[in-house]
Amino acid sequence: MADFPPPQPAATTATVPVAPVSAGLLAYALFAIGAVLEIAGRGIAWPFPLMTILGIIGVIVCYVKRDEARTTWVASHLTWLIRTFWWSFLWDLIGVVVMLTLIGIPIAFGIWFVTSLWVIYRVVRGYLIFKDSKPIPGV
């Protein structure tokens, strides 16, 4: 009788599970919509473009799915969005503190303007890299 080799499992390619990719896309969408609505509604030189309910839900999604995406390219995007949220929050708080002084009002509006542009840049740049299924370089 002929000996047949035992069946081998099918070769699998290293793919990213659907859940972290969907979560990353959802987080980018929430950040983008939240920031655009806040900036369009109040103006580009207004504090806290990500502190809308959409931005807060977006950062919660990033925190919840970060462990699931730990070894994938999506993890760098979730970290990128979390850092975007907290750094923009910090700079906007600095703008609020500066605004408390009468002389700092124009400086505060400058800080908020630059922070709003920076948030838009980070969301757009991150999404453009995300759609190519690549990690954020340096994160």
Side-chain angles (χ1 to χ4, degrees), residues 1-25:
M1 203 174 237
D3 289 326
F4 291 103
Q8 299 294 325
T12 58
T13 58
T15 59
V16 177
V18 174
V21 173
S22 298
L25 187 58

Side-chain angles (χ1 to χ4, degrees), residues 63-138:
Y63 275 116
V64 168
K65 291 297 184 176
R66 189 165 59 168
D67 284 339
E68 189 176 325
R70 178 96 35 216
T71 59
T72 66
W73 59 270
V74 179
S76 68
H77 289 275
L78 298 179
T79 301
W80 175 264
L81 290 172
I82 290 169
R83 288 178 183 168
T84 301
F85 180 87
W86 288 114
W87 278 106
S88 71
F89 181 74
L90 175 70
W91 278 106
D92 287 332
L93 274 179
I94 290 170
V96 168
V97 170
V98 168
M99 187 173 180
L100 294 176
T101 65
L102 199 54
I103 234 168
I105 292 173
I107 297 170
F109 278 99
I111 290 171
W112 296 334
F113 178 78
V114 171
T115 302
S116 295
L117 290 179
W118 180 77
V119 165
I120 293 168
Y121 161 75
R122 299 261 303 187
V123 170
V124 169
R125 178 175 181 236
Y127 175 73
L128 290 176
I129 297 170
F130 183 86
K131 75 175 185 61
D132 293 333
S133 301
K134 295 181 181 175
I136 300 280

